[in-house]
């Protein structure tokens, strides 16, 4: 069974590797209001975290947010690449997540079919 | 919602919206007393009495005009239907404790479900808060303090891929261990 000691060892390994610090990486935000959770926000979040682990993405920031009043479009997932508009994806299912990450987060190509909003920040 | 661990996520979102810096989550399964208790305490902005009673007012048909949330009434309904109750202790400026109690053996009680994924979400998506999680099943217990984890990690974020892999295994193995190796 994994222990906190394993985390300590991992931390030492990571410290001794050359770490490139990416300032202001891409942000992924998942809506976690009641409607979002009921529509599967936790499963979408889990898919995001699994994909980050699998692809070894080191500069992604993950956050949750509350209800923004688009309950019928839940699960809502936002992607914000540094210096680019905030893109809101709607009716996101866990199976959409690998595509959004591969296309948008990694390659900067918006997955237009799933977009429900764009905000210039 | 088909899992109590989804209600937990909903309650934690309430605490976050109340500006909590520290959130304590306790889950206690006591087979002898036939009770499952979920308790969330936060140091957020709290509620006055009117808000507390509005928030726990059961659904009344025809009263669609009032602006109320869905989360707490839904949890209250589930708990009440399962031989339990929801109680809220809160004071403005002093934080909030929400306690949901269920009869453990009740036919209609939703399973706790994937509590490991709920905890992982809370920890990774909210690194700015301090989160404590204590889970007891009979004589077994599992405790996580993000304070301790953050001290170990230093400047490495919870969303680092290798840390995520560790966290995933750590939470899954330890929660399953409480239930003799199977998911609750
Ligand atoms: N932990 C908390 N701290 C302070 N206020 C809370 C807390 N939980 C709930 N509330 C208050 O009760 C209201 C109803 O909560 P809820 O039923 O979950 O619906 P919603 O979150 O959608 O508003 C909230 O809008 C908030 O004003
Ligand atoms: Mg709520």
């Amino acid at each position: 069974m994994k222990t906190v000691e394993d985390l300590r060892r991992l931390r030492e390994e990571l410290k001794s590797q050359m770490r490139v610090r990416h300032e202001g990486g891409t942000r992924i935000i998942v809506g976690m209001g009641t409607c979002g959770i009921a529509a599967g926000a936790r499963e979408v979040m889990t898919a995001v975290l699994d994909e980050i682990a699998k692809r070894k993405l080191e500069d992604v920031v993950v956050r949750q947010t509350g209800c923004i009043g688009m309950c019928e479009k839940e699960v809502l997932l936002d992607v914000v690449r540094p210096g680019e508009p905030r893109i809101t994806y709607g009716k996101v299912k866990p199976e959409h997540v690998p595509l959004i990450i591969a296309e948008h987060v990694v390659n900067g190509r918006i997955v237009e079919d799933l977009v429900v909003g764009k905000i210039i920040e | 919602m088909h899992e109590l661990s989804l209600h937990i996520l909903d309650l934690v979102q309430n605490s976050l919206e109340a500006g909590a810096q520290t959130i304590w989550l306790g889950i206690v399964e006591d087979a002898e007393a036939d009770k499952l208790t979920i308790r969330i305490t936060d140091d957020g902005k709290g509620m006055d009495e009117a808000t507390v009673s509005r928030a726990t007012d059961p659904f009344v048909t025809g009263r669609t005009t009032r602006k109320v949330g869905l989360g707490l009434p839904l949890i209250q309904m589930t708990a009440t239907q399962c031989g339990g109750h929801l109680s809220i202790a809160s004071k403005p400026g002093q934080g909030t404790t929400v306690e949901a109690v269920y009869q453990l053996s009740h036919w209609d009680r939703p399973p706790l479900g994937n509590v490991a994924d709920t905890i992982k979400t809370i920890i990774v998506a909210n690194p700015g808060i301090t989160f404590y999680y204590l889970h007891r099943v009979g004589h077994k217990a599992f405790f996580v303090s993000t304070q301790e984890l953050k001290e170990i990690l230093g400047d490495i974020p919870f969303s680092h891929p290798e840390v995520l892999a560790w966290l995933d295994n750590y939470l899954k193995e330890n929660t399953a261990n409480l239930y003799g190796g199977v998911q609750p």
Side-chain angles (χ1 to χ4, degrees):
Chain A
M1 211 153 67
K2 285 273 179 301
T3 64
V4 170
E5 284 315 306
D6 297 323
L7 182 66
R8 253 183 248 283
R9 272 192 292 278
L10 173 62
R11 202 262 176 278
E12 291 309 310
E13 279 169 34
L14 293 175
K15 216 162 47 179
S16 58
Q17 286 170 13
M18 273 282 284
R19 280 172 42 77
V20 190
R21 286 233 56 108
H22 301 269
E23 287 310 326
T26 297
R27 278 187 297 146
I28 299 178
I29 305 135
V30 179
M32 287 278 172
T34 305
C35 298
I37 295 169
R42 187 188 65 188
E43 288 66 29
V44 168
M45 175 66 86
T46 300
V48 168
L49 301 181
D50 286 349
E51 207 58 24
I52 290 173
K54 215 186 305 172
R55 289 178 154 267
K56 303 216 180 293
L57 304 176
E58 289 200 16
D59 57 349
V60 179
V61 171
V62 182
R63 293 291 182 270
Q64 72 180 69
T65 188
C67 176
I68 58 161
M70 287 207 283
C71 303
E72 71 289 352
K73 301 235 171 75
E74 294 283 1
V75 176
L76 294 164
L77 181 153
D78 290 10
V79 174
V80 196
R81 284 168 57 93
E84 293 180 20
R86 177 178 184 137
I87 304 299
T88 301
Y89 293 105
K91 301 200 174 178
V92 177
K93 303 266 171 275
E95 52 268 32
H96 296 140
V97 168
L99 181 70
I100 293 172
I101 301 232
E103 286 293 300
H104 192 173
V105 175
V106 175
N107 290 313
R109 290 189 296 257
I110 296 167
V111 185
E112 298 289 349
D113 288 355
L114 296 170
V115 173
V116 295
K118 283 186 197 186
I119 301 169
I120 318 280
E121 290 192 325
Chain B
M1 282 185 238
H2 52 286
E3 293 185 7
L4 297 181
S5 56
L6 292 174
H7 287 305
I8 290 172
L9 207 50
D10 195 31
L11 291 171
V12 166
Q13 178 61 33
N14 280 350
S15 297
L16 293 167
E17 282 171 29
Q21 294 300 305
T22 308
I23 300 175
W24 294 263
L25 165 65
I27 304 173
V28 178
E29 283 192 28
D30 183 345
E32 258 164 57
D34 195 19
K35 268 204 317 201
L36 189 160
T37 304
I38 294 169
R39 186 183 297 123
I40 295 184
T41 298
D42 68 53
D43 62 353
K45 69 177 170 23
M47 288 175 259
D48 55 28
E49 268 175 51
T51 310
V52 171
S53 51
R54 243 198 334 267
T56 56
D57 223 350
F59 286 116
V60 179
T61 45
R63 290 177 65 187
T64 48
T65 49
R66 62 177 185 182
K67 163 91 186 70
V68 290
L70 265 180
L72 289 170
L74 205 63
I75 294 167
Q76 184 180 38
M77 198 175 71
T78 310
T80 310
Q81 283 170 354
C82 299
H85 59 88
L86 175 83
S87 61
I88 302 177
S90 188
K91 275 213 175 94
Q94 290 184 24
T96 300
T97 294
V98 176
E99 187 179 83
V101 180
Y102 308 80
Q103 188 191 328
L104 189 59
S105 65
H106 200 285
W107 290 92
D108 293 329
R109 182 181 65 78
L112 189 56
N114 199 333
V115 70
D117 278 352
T118 286
I119 304 299
K120 187 168 72 161
T121 294
I122 297 166
I123 292 176
V124 179
N126 305 283
I129 63 155
T130 304
F131 175 64
Y132 299 100
Y133 160 55
L134 175 63
H135 192 154
R136 278 184 198 286
V137 179
H139 296 296
K140 288 186 180 176
F142 176 42
F143 176 66
V144 177
S145 149
T146 60
Q147 171 91 18
E148 181 190 17
L149 301 184
K150 281 195 248 185
E151 273 166 23
I152 295 171
L153 284 169
D155 62 346
I156 299 172
F158 287 122
S159 57
H160 186 285
E162 313 249 6
V163 177
L164 281 179
W166 172 82
L167 191 60
D168 190 67
N169 283 321
Y170 181 63
L171 296 173
K172 287 212 164 80
E173 290 172 5
N174 281 283
T175 51
N177 180 53
L178 294 174
Y179 296 89
V182 296
Q183 187 179 295

